Amino acid sequence: MTQTHRLAQGGRIDRSRTLSFTFDGRRYEGHPGDTLASALLASGERLVGRSFKHHRPRGIVTAGPEEPCALVELRSGARREPNTRATVAEIYDGLEATSQNRWPSLAFDVSAINQLVGRFLPAGFYYKTFMWPASFWEKVYEPIIRRAAGLGRAAMAPDPDEYESMHAHCDVLVVGSGAAGLAAARAAGAAGARVIVADQDFELGGGLLLEPEQEPWRQGMLAALSGMPEVRLLPRTTVFGFYEHDVLGAVERVADHLPVPPEHGVRQRVWTIRARQTVLATGSTERPIAFPNNDRPGVMLASAAMTYVRRFGARPGERAVFFANNDIAYDAAFALHHAGVSVAAIIDVRKKDSKRAAAAADRGIAVKLGSVISDVKGGRNVHGVSFRTANGSVERVLDADLLCVSGGWNPAVHLQSHTRARPIWNNDLAAFLPGKPVQAERSAGSAAGVFGIAHCATDGAKAGREAAAALGFRDGAAFELPAPDAEVDPRVKPFWEVKAKGKAFVDLQNDVTADDIRLAHREGYTHIEHAKRYTTHSMATDQGRFSGILGTAVLAEARGETIETVGVPTFRPYVTPVTWGAMAGRHAGHHLQPVRRSPLHPWHVRNHGIFLETGLWMRPLYYSATRETGWDPILKEARAVRQAVGICDVSTLGKIDIQGRDAGILLDRLYTNTFSTLAVGKARYGLMLREDGIMFDDGTTSRLSEHRYLMTTTTAKAAEVLAHMEFYHQTVWPELDVRYCTVTDQWAQMSVAGPKTRLALQGCVEGLDLSNEAFPFMGVCDATVAGCPVRLYRVSFSGEMAYEVATPAGYGERVWEAILAAGRPHGILPYGLEALGLLRIEKGHVAGPELNGQTTARDLGFEKMLKKKGDYVGRVNAERPALVAPDRPRLVGIRAVDPSFEKRLRGGAHIVDRPDSKASLGWATSITRSVELERWLGLAMIRNGPERIGQRLYATYPLKNEVVEIEVCSPHHVDPENLRVRA
Amino acid sequence: MHRIDCPWCGVRDEAEFSYRGDATVKRPPADGGAEGFYAYVYDRTNPKGWHVEWWHHVAGCRQFLKVVRHTVTHEIRSVAKATDEVAAPPA
Amino acid sequence: MSRYSVFRLFREGLRNQTGWTRAWRAPEPKPAYDVIIIGGGGHGLASAYYLAREQGITNVAVLERGQIGLGNVGRNTTIVRSNYLFPENNLFYEKSLQLWEGLEQDLNFNVMMSQRGVINLYHSDSQRDAYARRGNSMRLNGIDAELLDRDQVRALVPVLDFDNARFPIHGGLIQRRGGTARHDAVAWGLARGADRLGVDIIQNCEVTGIRRDGGRVVGVETTRGYIAAPKIGIAVAGHTSQVAAMAGIRLPIESHVLQAFVSEAVKPVLDHVVTFGAGHFYISQSDKGGLVFGGGLDGYNSFAQRGTLPEAEHVINEGVALMPLLSRLRVLRQWAGVMDMTFDGTPLICKTPVQGLYINGGWCYGGFKAVPGSGWCFAHTVAKDEPHPFNAAMTIERFRDGAMVDEKGAGPFPWLQ
């Protein structure tokens, strides 16, 4: 396609290079500096999409990110990006764009048939129907509605691009780089402040980019700012949210203007900016007027038409008509005229002759005062407009292929509104202006209702100076401001809607008409938030930035109240929608959470450990060179422990070093049992409760010296236990003389267990008599292994004779391998989490599934560990009546009656007294295949559990339609007298 | 994103801290009885306004801090050590 | 106010929609009512509706300080389900789900209830077992639940990350009757339904005091004058502590901020509600195409209804980890509500020590799905001055008794519930 509508000269595009791109499969050309929208317009393309509900043809209505209509799918394959605004997308060579929400094609969209029944589909129609027959909503209506929903299509493959996040601190953040923003930045920078300037555009300058005679000033300012080391310029960066404590979020489109990001580069970057002061120089956006068929391709904002001409050298039409209620729109008409576009007329709502009408007449442009556009001719393309006097009935038609509309200007107050500042209505501009700041910010330029480049620059410089001064910086060197231009009167005659036959749209993407707003009011949805939700006005991708105020105006008229009273729907982040990937940053895929590895991790990897990824730790479940699955490798490891000796990495258990004169007292108050009386060189199993009396954690704590203990916790609760200790010591018993810190990562710890453990360890432990007499159960001793210092704790989780060997983390692998070598003649095997679990379940030790935050010490059979004398955390609340009720589920063992492997018991099964009973008596907490008893068995919480020992009950698992007969027994399936651990 | 002026570490971002709720509730002495211990765990004013609360500097000095913060504006009025007495904030 | 139907739509289409009238009246408050419900959100409106419909009490006023339906009922992520563990909860939520299933017929208002299935993903054997305990409990109580393995989940939701995840998906617990509903619609439908039965919905009426005579309530002070009533129900989740304090009642509740989000609308990519098991994240796709999602609390007492950027990043991060194709879509809007968090995650629907005063609050994450069930049970409780068996456990006293209903086992820390 040739660039039929490219102006011979002018614009900021680089005509020396030509880029080629496709839209709906057709090839077009453009230049660097073009957006997709400008390049399409330059080739005479106007039809770019279809509206959401009625599938009406849609064109390009703005030249900025508030664009509600020209949304396309950009790129293809894994990089496809739906709902991309053509007005912002910079073209590159080879760009692919596709129109959305139409089938089979943009020109002939079958769903446009919706328009024929449009009158029966007003706002909220779906609340009043689709209810009969009852089953049809889900089976018939909803699937149809869902298929029609949405605009673009997501990519169906993982995103190949990368993102990152940055944190920045600055003294002054300037949002916007127009005349006000550049002046604010320079003033603040000159005063010595650290400044960040962010602008969503790829070129800095804002409105200056439309004024060729301001180019020298713009370039001078940018050169000066670039030369200031404490000033950072961020183009292509949208500040999307203003959060509390003066944090702002911004997203930088680092590589969206390139086919693919550079190697090792990111596509987008999110900035979290802490700005001590912010200057909102966000400008203002023009707003339309509602009139019949104001949605046709070829109808656009007057400033957009001017932008395409002045900035992009593209002619959005051949013959234009303007419709306006203000003087500024005349500048746009004159710009088009100057560029050779025929401007047939300016239809001006105002009755009084403004000075501009004369300037128009000089250019041969007719001005029709006191007149309104009453209709637009053309479906997929405007070809004419009709107009009349405001209250007249005689309509005249003008040939035109471009209708440029200006209803006035809305200062961009969105960011300020995020801070809960309330915008203030201004009658002269008929717009909301920024209100009294709540956070450390001020607005400048047209964002503050100041118009004209020179005025904006002055206003911006003042804002920059004041922002810096508020932080204690003194004014810096003055700089030149732009020459004052011809005075422009920004006042408008408020005008929102032409009442005439036909659909007048107040939200172009969601097809909401002025009549829809009136209907909402009629039905009582008359608060702006109700009207918005009922009609979906302002809920499209532009979130009301384009024409939100029109809905308010229509509603205000229906209510007989002012726009100020009615208000606009709350502005919330994100000012322009932000990519999910950018917000996720580097934490994609495996980087969602950090990984914690035991000091022995490299050994596990080399020796075919199969890892569990749950929580942050990587822990070997079992070892298998062939990566076999199922129970065999686990049973093999567990058998080795029961019959010979095994070694397991338990480094992940929490370890806390506690020192001080009152260490024992603190432990007495945290544990349900007593530790101040524990002998030096001994370990003791302890229980901790939460203050509400529920079991919190268990562990083994050893006394290393008179004033030193080493506490262990479960892996999962290590951090919480330390915090718990800190809370109680610091806030309840600060008088206790005690210090503590975590040493979890400092120690490698391995459990060596099995009847041959002593034999194995005697082969490698030096300096210690390992006989039962010298080193009984629950003792703690220091020794050496392979020249490394170790501490042995004679504790057992598995129920076999066992020692936990702890060594400083760096020596872990050396000690582990020494024990393995010494154990080899005795058949030692490494065992993982699964075997560890199997063994402890057989033994009847409680763990996570029993300590689930809902059970008490009594529930788990630990009444005897609740000391009678002395206070401890949870003591009183544990006695609450419902927590000591006799019929609470309590811990017992259960065993399958039928020993076959196929009749599985499963954790999570409920216990019932008859196979068909629905009355749950409890549930199975931990189940394993047993190596000692060769059947399924485990632990369960059952009402009156201990009294039921010997009874036959059933484990029912309705999720798999399984019922298995069980026998209730002691939880200690293996060695209930503890002979093995004391051997 | 609160900034908390830790008495030991200086001004730090909220991300370094962990929250532990109302700091005006006092654990009763050992003989405080069922009602006292119930109140310690469950009874809360839940003010819409100034709140005295615990923030635990987990990524720093590991101390619990008594912070007076407004639950609507999120302004922080004062930060004190756990053992300091904090004046009741205005209603 | 007449019935909604396709015929009416057709007729009004021919008449340019001029025949539609207010969905609910805007009456002046009377000096006295039989029951006052404080709070015009989902629970307050549902309570009034069921008082009229089920309990035959129509001389009821709903007093809403602002506009109905703009609090948490208008801000939530619209998930409806009854997949709870304890019978104290699952029977209640199941009652609510059954009411949801008939609600649009009942209200003559399409609440767009979509029972597309709620899948709770699990990522380890122990998590599977915990979910199985819950699913088996549901089945024993007559509620639908199925345990899916990895391949079955993949067949339903192929867009999840099965290949490169930090916490691989092992399977899921699905409640097929769970799903979503349109939150505004249920508030409006209940308002219209209650209004048609004679309930007065009074907006812009803030309760500033509760008047008592001895140990019983007699009325409320409001910004529109004093209104007498022998029975007053508080349904103002977010501000339950504040309103209860007007009657001298202290509660085990803390108010916290919860963020919610929606993406730009895209063609269908997700047909179920999915919750992530290795974090706190839940997502569904609305009928308009936007992906509605959320995560956990920001984590400190707040009435600000405004969340922080780092928490938003965290939630969105979990979403991308769960569904990598979200990466190139855009988040459109974020907002927040103020949540009543109790000390066990289970709500309060109960009498209070003050005669004639009842509380409905403490909803934690359970509020939206509970709207009809809560209204139904609260109406029963208020009318009969006794809880229904379905809400019998949801008392203030349960904390003194030690009868917490703590599904997660997170303990007396509201920000962890």
Side-chain angles (χ1 to χ4, degrees), chain A residues 41 47 56 99 128 176 224 260 373 399 458 506 535 577 664 669 698 894 920 959-960:
Chain A
L41 286 172
L47 176 62
R56 285 168 70 104
S99 61
K128 298 168 174 159
V260 295
I373 297 284
D399 282 341
T458 307
V506 295
T535 63
R669 295 188 189 172
D698 67 349
I894 58 174
S920 172
L959 292 170
K960 287 191 187 291

Side-chain angles (χ1 to χ4, degrees), chain B residues 6-89:
Chain B
C6 174
W8 287 279
C9 306
V11 176
R12 295 300 179 92
D13 188 279
E14 179 187 322
E16 295 189 10
F17 298 83
S18 171
Y19 184 72
R20 188 103 178 195
D22 193 322
T24 61
V25 293
K26 298 227 176 325
R27 190 173 194 269
D31 57 0
E35 190 56 32
F37 278 91
Y38 161 82
Y40 177 55
V41 176
Y42 296 107
D43 190 44
R44 295 291 181 269
T45 307
N46 187 29
K48 186 174 181 181
W50 293 106
H51 189 226
V52 185
E53 54 194 30
W54 294 119
W55 285 85
H56 185 198
H57 198 182
V58 292
C61 56
R62 303 288 311 184
Q63 299 304 300
F64 275 87
L65 307 177
K66 210 178 273 181
V67 176
V68 179
R69 182 183 64 93
H70 198 280
T71 61
V72 180
T73 65
H74 295 176
E75 181 194 341
I76 290 180
R77 186 181 164 88
S78 64
V79 181
K81 300 178 181 178
T83 47
D84 290 347
E85 279 307 312
V86 167

Side-chain angles (χ1 to χ4, degrees), chain C residues 127-149:
Chain C
Q127 194 173 30
R128 173 203 61 204
D129 289 349
Y131 283 15
R133 179 187 168 201
R134 176 159 58 91
N136 285 324
S137 172
M138 291 164 66
R139 292 282 291 270
L140 290 173
N141 285 309
I143 305 169
D144 66 306
E146 288 169 56
L147 201 62
L148 304 174
D149 64 25

Side-chain angles (χ1 to χ4, degrees), chain A residues 83 119 127 131 137-138 142 149 152 159 420 522-523 530 533 574 578-579 587 594 854 880 882 910, chain C residues 17 23 68 105 110 113-115 133 166 182 184 265 267 285 287 304 317 327 331 334 399 401 406:
Chain A
N83 306 340
R119 67 185 329 176
Y127 298 125
M131 296 186 263
W137 164 250
E138 290 238 39
E142 201 198 6
D159 188 348
R420 301 291 168 81
R522 227 168 14 259
E523 294 199 76
H530 281 158
R533 288 153 183 263
Y574 304 82
V578 179
T579 315
H587 303 287
Q854 298 161 350
R880 287 179 288 168
H910 282 244
Chain C
Q17 319 299 340
I68 61 150
Q105 305 297 329
N110 191 352
M113 167 72 165
S114 173
Q115 292 180 280
R133 179 187 168 201
R166 171 76 173 83
R182 178 114 184 92
D184 293 320
K267 292 296 177 203
Q285 188 166 20
D287 285 341
N317 188 193
S327 181
V331 188
Q334 67 175 95
F399 297 100
D401 293 341
D406 187 347

Side-chain angles (χ1 to χ4, degrees), chain C residues 105-124:
Chain C
Q105 305 297 329
D106 216 29
L107 296 177
N108 180 233
F109 200 105
N110 191 352
V111 300
M112 304 171 80
M113 167 72 165
S114 173
Q115 292 180 280
R116 59 186 70 169
V118 175
I119 305 174
N120 304 139
L121 298 174
Y122 60 81
H123 306 263
S124 70

Side-chain angles (χ1 to χ4, degrees), chain A residues 307-341:
Chain A
T307 301
Y308 287 116
V309 164
R310 283 253 178 102
R311 184 171 173 192
F312 297 103
R315 204 166 44 233
E318 309 274 16
R319 189 171 154 79
V321 169
F322 278 71
F323 180 30
N325 64 352
N326 61 82
D327 279 357
I328 297 183
Y330 282 67
D331 285 339
F334 299 163
L336 260 65
H337 169 86
H338 182 75
V341 176

Side-chain angles (χ1 to χ4, degrees), chain A residues 585-608:
Chain A
R586 283 269 179 229
H587 303 287
H590 262 274
H591 299 295
L592 176 63
Q593 291 282 2
V595 171
R596 287 181 84 176
R597 299 188 178 97
S598 141
L600 298 163
H601 186 80
W603 191 93
H604 301 315
V605 172
R606 288 196 310 270
N607 288 276
H608 314 296

